[in-house]
Amino acid sequence: MSTYQAPLRDMQFVLDELLDLEQYRNLPGFSDASPDVVAAILQESARLASEVLAPLNAVGDQHGCELEDDKVRTAPGFREAFRTYTEGGWSGLTALPEYGGQGLPHVLGIVVREITSSANMAFSMFAGLSHGAANAIVNGGTEEQKALFLPPMIAGRWTGTMNLTEPHCGTDLGLLRSRAQPQADGSYSISGSKIFISAGEHDLAENIVHLVLARLPDAPAGVKGISLFIVPKFLVKADGSLGARNGVRCGSLEEKMGIHGNPTCVMNYDGATGYLLGEPHQGLRVMFVMMNSARLAVGVQGLSLASAAYQNAARYAGERMQGRAPGGAQAPDQPADPIIAHPDVRRMLLTQRAFIEGGRALAYWAGVQVDLVHKHPDAEVREAANDLLGLLTPMIKAYCTDKGVESTSLAMQCFGGHGYIREWGMEQYLRDARITPLYEGTNGVQAMDLVTRKLRLNDGRALRRFIALVEDFCSTGSSEFATPLSQALEHLRQATEYLLADASPAETGAAAVDYLHLTALVAFALQWAKMATLAQQRLQQNSAEADFYQAKLHTARFFYQQQLPETTVHLQRILAGSESLLAFAAEQF
């Protein structure tokens, strides 16, 4: 059976040393997040993860959820764990204090989400979706709606969902058919079916607040005619108490590859009472608040599963005795050496480690940008942070989930045939990870968003800001990292110039995924260069934690020597255009 222990030392290295959260103490929420408070929160989150959530990971996978009489029962132990989670205040960690939250920095919420997702991804999804739904209500709701729905959602007594996908349309929401009929009392009658609704029905909370996309009778065609509605499972009275069951039911549960501990529901709305959230026909504007938050969260899920799988693979590689190391026995008193002595096993482990630690730095940096967007008093700082966040979001969602699947597969490979056996828990990590490149917008969609919208938005301002940050390091950093980083940045420039100047729509589409991966590699390289520089400084200061910093420096060098050169391949693919992709007639496939 797999186990998980939160890598607190590395998390605190990123927060305290790389990002230096202390510099933001003047911002709301950060004044309460002193290093000792953050350390205590992370330690308690780690305890919850290892003692409560991780032991239920295999239980949720093997038992799954059950539907009976339109009610869903979660796996044994999930209800008690959810009660422990909410009573500990975790559901309101970063939420607004005026509605019962603790108001701590968003970046701290990302750290805790990594911990809980690593321990039990299926469980963590219940709270994660609620957080996103609450954010949408914060951004689009009336004062009455906020007062009525937010306190119980933030307290964890109610949970939330988002209902976008329908059987005939996924990404193309312009095809959406669900209908909303105005009622005399100002509410709306919602009818239609939604699929792939995570946590759409369960037994963990008193109520479930569904956010549902639907069309009003006078709605224009396409995405400009979509409105967003609050549709609670149980109607809510003016005093906040629960009333009658609403006209929404779970019709069935999807049988799926992974995340068995979280129910993926078909939700049927049959004249359900709903309340308009935001302006008519502007539902996507409000929903995208939730979707962008969810996309960052999904990127963190890819990182989280990779982290948990890596821990188990590294431990196994140190214990499993098999063969002799090249160049001579490492354990001459034993009949074989531990497999960690074999170069290819080390390659697999370091590939995982370089992604996990680099992805952690990138994700936490994005979390700081969220805080700056919402809390910094300077409009120029908010603008710069928003630009970077828009650029980082598709990168983190797509690259971190692509690499998360690759990393969990490599971790399983380290176990050999034992990794394919359920007993060791590795195959669950791979199955659970495989959803992450698919939901909240497939990774191909993220890549197209980057090259067709984010790249050109505000005349390319976001990319220029990002390039300037890389250039700043290259002008002052050590040549060991600045020189190869400059070369990778030049590859990004060439790819960008091609897309903006010469590429046809077909060529842009053909280049999209490679461009996203190229950009992400440069972003990872910037984080690794900064971390390596810090490690070198600490080693020169004769730090008592020399082993930690030496390992950080070794991993940075591995990334730069073994992974960053992939930018050359991505550039070649981009410049190759679309001819070979489009040469096939559809019937030839």
Side-chain angles (χ1 to χ4, degrees):
M1 179 181 290
S2 62
T3 61
Y4 172 73
Q5 296 291 328
L8 296 183
R9 179 63 188 94
D10 195 61
M11 292 172 167
Q12 290 177 315
F13 166 77
V14 176
L15 295 174
D16 298 340
E17 299 179 62
L18 181 65
L19 297 176
D20 185 19
L21 292 191
E22 280 288 278
Q23 68 179 298
Y24 305 113
R25 286 295 298 276
N26 61 319
L27 299 182
F30 282 86
S31 58
D32 297 323
S34 60
D36 58 330
V37 169
V38 170
I41 289 172
L42 297 191
Q43 288 169 2
E44 185 60 22
S45 178
R47 187 199 63 78
L48 175 71
S50 62
E51 296 180 9
V52 179
L53 303 184
L56 293 175
N57 194 40
V59 175
D61 181 60
Q62 295 168 19
H63 189 280
C65 299
E66 298 176 350
L67 175 64
E68 184 177 347
D69 296 330
D70 69 41
K71 295 181 176 63
V72 169
R73 288 194 299 273
T74 52
F78 269 51
R79 291 188 67 185
E80 294 77 10
F82 193 75
R83 187 179 307 115
T84 299
Y85 180 88
T86 56
E87 288 177 352
W90 297 106
S91 57
L93 189 72
T94 62
L96 293 173
E98 54 263 43
Y99 298 107
Q102 299 171 49
L104 289 168
H106 183 84
V107 62
L108 187 55
I110 286 182
V111 182
V112 172
R113 179 166 291 176
E114 181 196 337
I115 293 172
T116 56
S117 294
S118 295
N120 193 325
M121 175 174 157
F123 178 91
S124 72
M125 290 170 63
F126 290 101
L129 290 161
S130 298
H131 178 77
N135 279 346
I137 294 174
V138 167
N139 284 275
T142 65
E143 292 305 315
E144 292 77 10
Q145 288 171 338
K146 294 175 186 178
L148 194 62
F149 290 101
L150 290 177
M153 293 178 72
I154 288 170
R157 293 190 291 110
W158 300 356
T159 62
T161 72
M162 62 176 174
N163 288 230
L164 290 78
T165 307
E166 299 184 0
H168 61 283
C169 74
T171 300
D172 191 355
L173 292 173
L175 301 176
L176 185 143
R177 295 175 184 164
S178 294
R179 296 291 172 181
Q181 188 68 37
Q183 303 298 297
D185 63 356
S187 66
Y188 295 81
S189 176
I190 311 296
S191 296
S193 292
K194 301 287 185 176
I195 62 170
F196 302 159
I197 310 305
S198 299
E201 167 62 24
H202 58 79
D203 58 357
L204 302 185
E206 301 168 8
N207 202 6
I208 304 173
V209 180
H210 302 289
L211 301 189
V212 184
L213 291 178
R215 293 187 183 280
L216 293 167
D218 61 345
V223 295
K224 295 182 179 180
I226 300 175
S227 300
L228 183 61
F229 300 87
I230 300 173
V231 187
K233 174 181 175 179
F234 289 97
L235 296 175
V236 183
K237 299 177 183 179
D239 63 359
S241 61
L242 299 183
R245 179 72 186 264
N246 206 353
V248 52
R249 296 289 191 275
C250 175
S252 64
L253 296 180
E254 302 290 355
E255 296 188 11
K256 55 197 176 180
M257 180 178 180
I259 53 170
H260 295 155
N262 193 281
T264 302
C265 305
V266 174
M267 302 301 298
N268 297 320
Y269 293 85
D270 185 12
T273 298
Y275 309 94
L276 183 66
L277 180 59
E279 297 298 320
H281 317 314
Q282 300 296 317
L284 285 185
R285 180 177 299 174
V286 180
M287 182 62 86
F288 267 113
V289 172
M290 185 175 185
M291 290 178 68
N292 285 330
S293 173
R295 286 169 177 170
L296 282 176
V298 171
V300 172
Q301 286 178 340
L303 163 68
S304 300
L305 291 169
S307 178
Y310 165 78
Q311 285 187 15
N312 287 273
R315 184 177 64 252
Y316 181 83
E319 297 171 352
R320 173 70 169 173
M321 310 299 286
Q322 195 80 32
R324 285 298 186 190
Q330 299 294 304
D333 58 331
Q334 299 293 326
D337 290 329
I339 62 172
I340 202 166
H342 298 289
D344 190 56
V345 173
R346 288 173 169 250
R347 175 192 63 82
M348 292 189 287
L349 291 172
L350 280 170
T351 298
Q352 298 166 61
R353 184 173 182 134
F355 157 62
I356 293 161
E357 295 183 8
R360 179 173 294 129
L362 193 65
Y364 293 8
W365 185 42
V368 170
Q369 305 314 307
V370 175
D371 284 309
L372 295 178
V373 167
H374 293 289
K375 298 177 179 179
H376 204 282
D378 189 324
E380 291 186 4
V381 173
R382 294 197 303 271
E383 179 186 89
N386 194 54
D387 284 348
L388 282 174
L389 184 61
L391 194 70
L392 291 172
T393 296
M395 276 196 282
I396 290 172
K397 195 284 177 186
Y399 189 77
C400 287
T401 57
D402 281 344
K403 299 300 286 188
V405 172
E406 177 187 331
S407 293
T408 54
S409 181
L410 285 173
M412 185 169 134
Q413 189 75 16
C414 290
F415 280 74
H418 291 287
Y420 200 68
I421 304 303
R422 176 175 290 183
E423 173 189 357
W424 292 89
M426 304 309 292
E427 53 86 36
Q428 182 190 345
Y429 289 129
L430 180 55
R431 286 187 290 104
D432 285 353
R434 193 58 189 85
I435 186 58
T436 59
L438 300 174
Y439 64 5
E440 304 304 341
T442 65
N443 286 358
V445 169
Q446 303 304 314
M448 288 299 292
D449 174 58
L450 178 63
V451 299
T452 62
R453 197 168 72 87
K454 300 292 177 59
L455 188 59
R456 293 168 168 81
L457 192 65
N458 298 315
D459 195 31
R461 189 177 67 201
L463 186 66
R464 290 199 306 274
R465 291 188 193 277
F466 172 71
I467 288 175
L469 291 173
V470 180
E471 289 175 334
D472 285 347
F473 177 86
C474 291
S475 65
T476 59
S478 68
S479 60
E480 179 183 6
F481 299 102
T483 299
L485 180 54
S486 295
Q487 294 170 346
L489 183 60
E490 179 58 28
H491 293 159
L492 177 58
R493 284 198 184 94
Q494 292 179 40
T496 303
E497 290 171 2
Y498 165 75
L499 289 175
L500 293 179
D502 302 320
S504 67
E507 289 168 333
T508 298
V513 170
D514 278 293
Y515 186 84
L516 184 145
H517 279 229
L518 195 165
T519 311
L521 278 166
V522 174
F524 266 64
L526 176 62
Q527 300 305 314
W528 268 118
K530 290 181 176 180
M531 290 190 287
T533 300
L534 279 170
Q536 289 173 323
Q537 292 172 355
R538 300 296 185 266
L539 289 169
Q540 291 169 0
Q541 297 164 357
N542 296 316
S543 169
E545 296 181 290
D547 285 347
F548 173 84
Y549 293 112
Q550 192 65 63
K552 186 68 68 177
L553 186 57
H554 286 326
T555 312
R557 286 170 173 157
F558 175 86
F559 174 85
Y560 265 76
Q561 294 170 13
Q562 299 289 329
Q563 296 180 326
L564 187 58
E566 293 173 8
T567 60
T568 302
V569 177
H570 290 303
L571 177 61
Q572 290 175 344
R573 289 175 179 163
I574 291 167
L575 298 181
S578 61
E579 183 178 353
S580 62
L581 289 176
L582 301 181
F584 266 61
E587 58 270 15
Q588 290 179 300
F589 282 94

